[in-house]
Each structure stands twice: as C-alpha cells, then as structure tokens.
Amino acid sequence: MNLRLLAAVLALVVPLGACDGGGGGSPAAATTKLGFLVKQPEEPWFQLEWAFADKAQAELGFTLVKIGVPDGEKTLSAIDNLAAQGAAGFVICTPDVRLGPAIAAKARSHKMKLIAVDDRFLGADGQPMQDVHYLGISARAIGEDVGRALAAEAQRRGWKNEELGVCVVTYDELDTARERTDGARAALRAAGVPDARVFLAPEKAPEIPAALDATNALLSQHADVKQWLVCGMNDNSVLGAVRALEGRGFDADHVIAIGINGTDCIEELRKAKPTGFYGSMLLSAREHGHRTISMLHAWCKDGVEPPLDTRTTGILITRSNFEQVLAEQGVTR
Ligand code: GLA
C-alpha cells in the first residue's frame, strides 16, 4: 500500500474505530457512543427506561446503543460488541447480580465507564459492590409505603385481621426485591396486622407466570382466608398473584393488591371492571433512564464522575389518579 492510500484509509477508519472508545483521545467533533443494557427488554418498565434514555440522546447528542441482555453470556458479549463499536461506557440492569465482578472487569479491560441501574451488583463476598456507580430505588421505603397503603385500604373496608391473609410474593435472590417485600411486611406489622396472617409465595422469576404458580401453591394451603392483601417486588409479581386469586373466585371486593413500577399495570388499571389490582408505587423511569445515561455522558465526555449511590422515590397510583399522575410524570401522553 502506498503512503497516500494508507493516509486515505486511516482518515476513514480512525475516527470510527478510536473516536470515543475505551478512554482513547476523542476528537472534539466525534459524538460519544453509549450503551444501555437491560435484563428484560420485554417488560414495560425497561422499555420506558430506554424511551427516556432516547430522549437524553436527542437532547445531548450522543449515540445510544440499546441491547437486551437476558443472560450472562449475552451480557458479556454485548459489552465486547459495544467496545468494538467504540462505545465509551454503558448503563446496565444485569440479568444476574452475581455477574457484577465479571461485568466490572470487562468494562475495565475495555477502559469503559459503567453505571449499574435497578439491580445492584454483588461482589464475590455476596455484598453490594459499593465501588460500582449505582442508581436504584429506595427499596425499603417504597416497600413500606406499599404496606401502609394496603393496611389503610383494608381498614377503610373494615376487614378483620382474623379473616384476612397477606400474600407476599417474594424474590429474595435480588436485594432490591427482598428489601421491598421486607419493607411491606414491616409496615403491615406496624399497622397491626399479625405476622401469623402473613404468608410467603416465593416466585422463581419476577414474571407473571412464576408469580401465578407461586400464589396458586400458597392458596391451596389457606382456604380459610376470606380477603387477601397482596404485595410483591413489582407489578408483574403482583399481577400474577391477582390472576391466581381470580382463578379461585376472589374479585376486586375481596382483594387489595398493590404493585411496584406503575408502568406495567396501565392496561390493568384501565380495565372497565376493576380487578383486585388496587394500585402501584410508580417509580421514576425518567430518573432511571434519562438521568443515568446523562450522568454517564457527562462522565465520559467531560470527566464529571456521578455519585456512587443514587436512590429514587415512588408515588402511589390507584384507579382514581393514575391517568393524571402518569401523564404528569411523562409516562403517558
Ligand atoms: C428491578 C425490577 C424491575 C423494576 C426495577 C426498578 O430491576 O426487576 O421490574 O422494579 O427493579 O429499579
């Protein structure tokens, strides 16, 4: 190859390959490329996170690459793929928090910056990786709000402790899930619901079918319960329980179920005939999608390091206010 040809080839290739990636020097004109990886791209919560990240992309002018990563293998190859495209960093909700050390090592090896969203990485010692930047919900406090709202509505309806049962759909493998359901249980206890009326339904995955199976197994053991309160780690976990209860004849007058996310229950709340799904704690998909990727952008582009630990709050939505609150929060139009 003669020198002139080599120069021409380099002029084409170098800006694409080396512009933003891996900590290499970025030419001022090049746009930063950033990844956003999520574990369950089919869940409305994650679709909204992506939609808000898209908005940040339009406002800030970086290039966003969205990849669904349902398992460990796909996660690690997606990171290699991002690096090969010259991405400077990524936001990730990992499919398994125990992949934390492997994901962090891979990011380091590619000199990419990383922010974990929603599900916090666990280190080899089983403890949260506090050196990995994280944005997630105030899980315990949001769970407590669920418990308080369940107790308040049961009291308003005049339900007696000895006739009701609390179905707690648990997913203890995930810290943010366990903190939510522990918070709900603590608030119910504080509101006077005896522990003896609280029953656990461990689900194998935070998905409707798994929650339905777990709740069905629980219901066959508690035929004496007349009214049910339901909580769980997110809307789908609670929706699965509501479907199982419907299968046994428990309708909106005999079930008070409150989810978390507020984004995966919109069709449910819009149903003309109310179901047992009473409401949800609406989380901020905007904070989780827009804010995370904007922080990553500022970090990669201008060296502004984000806080190590950021927590977000929730708002109770019910059939009476959800359309208004969802529109105010930019979830619906
Ligand atoms: C977890 C859940 C999601 C959502 C987020 C919020 O990732 O699986 O449904 O609740 O937390 O941070």
Side-chain angles (χ1 to χ4, degrees):
M1 197 184 283
N2 69 34
L3 272 183
R4 209 177 314 149
L5 183 57
L6 181 65
V9 168
L10 280 179
L12 284 175
V13 169
V14 170
L16 291 176
C19 56
D20 319 301
S26 306
T31 60
T32 307
K33 187 176 274 188
L34 303 173
F36 203 124
L37 280 48
V38 302
K39 63 176 181 179
Q40 288 169 293
E42 71 291 347
E43 197 178 78
W45 167 256
F46 293 107
Q47 288 167 10
L48 263 164
E49 268 186 3
W50 271 353
F52 280 111
D54 276 333
K55 284 200 173 154
Q57 163 180 237
E59 290 161 21
L60 298 169
F62 58 85
T63 302
L64 183 66
V65 183
K66 293 172 286 190
I67 310 176
V69 289
D71 60 42
E73 205 178 311
K74 292 208 170 65
T75 304
L76 298 178
S77 72
I79 300 170
D80 286 336
N81 191 311
L82 282 171
Q85 295 183 50
F90 57 95
V91 173
I92 182 167
C93 178
T94 173
D96 182 346
V97 288
R98 289 164 306 181
L99 286 171
I103 296 171
K106 202 166 249 316
R108 245 190 334 270
S109 78
H110 291 304
K111 299 197 171 53
M112 293 165 97
K113 302 213 169 9
L114 147 73
I115 297 178
V117 71
D118 298 316
D119 297 359
R120 197 172 193 192
F121 292 178
L122 293 184
D125 57 358
Q127 295 303 309
M129 290 179 70
Q130 294 184 8
D131 54 340
V132 173
H133 296 74
Y134 172 68
L135 183 145
I137 68 165
S138 318
R140 169 93 188 184
I142 288 171
E144 287 170 358
D145 285 345
V146 169
R148 270 191 292 272
L150 285 172
E153 180 60 17
Q155 205 171 16
R156 198 189 65 78
R157 295 187 191 185
W159 289 4
K160 297 192 189 69
N161 279 337
E162 46 304 351
E163 292 182 354
L164 63 75
V166 184
C167 166
V168 185
V169 182
T170 58
Y171 187 63
D172 286 352
E173 290 84 339
L174 190 58
D175 281 353
T176 182
R178 198 190 57 248
E179 288 167 19
R180 297 173 200 192
T181 45
D182 281 357
R185 291 169 69 184
L188 283 162
R189 189 180 304 126
V193 177
D195 281 346
R197 304 309 299 164
V198 177
F199 310 115
L200 307 186
E203 58 182 348
K204 293 212 172 75
E207 290 163 2
I208 294 177
L212 191 145
D213 287 350
T215 307
N216 264 332
L218 179 78
L219 295 180
S220 22
Q221 296 161 27
H222 298 286
D224 58 313
V225 173
K226 296 206 168 59
Q227 298 112 353
W228 283 97
L229 305 180
V230 183
C231 59
M233 73 163 285
N234 60 12
D235 288 340
N236 282 345
S237 304
V238 171
L239 282 169
V242 169
R243 295 289 92 88
L245 282 158
E246 282 168 352
R248 290 175 189 248
F250 288 93
D251 60 10
D253 293 334
H254 298 86
V255 177
I256 306 166
I258 300 185
I260 293 177
N261 280 6
T263 52
D264 309 9
C265 57
I266 302 176
E267 294 315 312
E268 183 78 8
L269 292 173
R270 281 184 180 152
K271 284 181 179 169
K273 187 171 187 291
T275 70
F277 195 96
Y278 174 79
S280 180
M281 292 298 300
L282 174 66
L283 308 181
S284 177
R286 184 172 213 288
E287 293 280 292
H288 289 235
H290 191 291
R291 182 150 163 214
T292 49
I293 201 80
S294 304
M295 292 193 309
L296 182 69
H297 180 247
W299 193 11
C300 293
K301 189 167 166 286
D302 305 319
V304 183
E305 186 181 342
L308 269 169
D309 191 348
T310 307
R311 299 303 172 117
T312 61
T313 54
I315 313 169
L316 180 67
I317 55 171
T318 62
R319 286 177 72 90
S320 55
N321 71 354
F322 78 100
E323 291 287 10
Q324 188 197 333
V325 178
L326 290 173
E328 279 166 10
Q329 298 299 314
V331 176
T332 55
R333 254 161 286 177

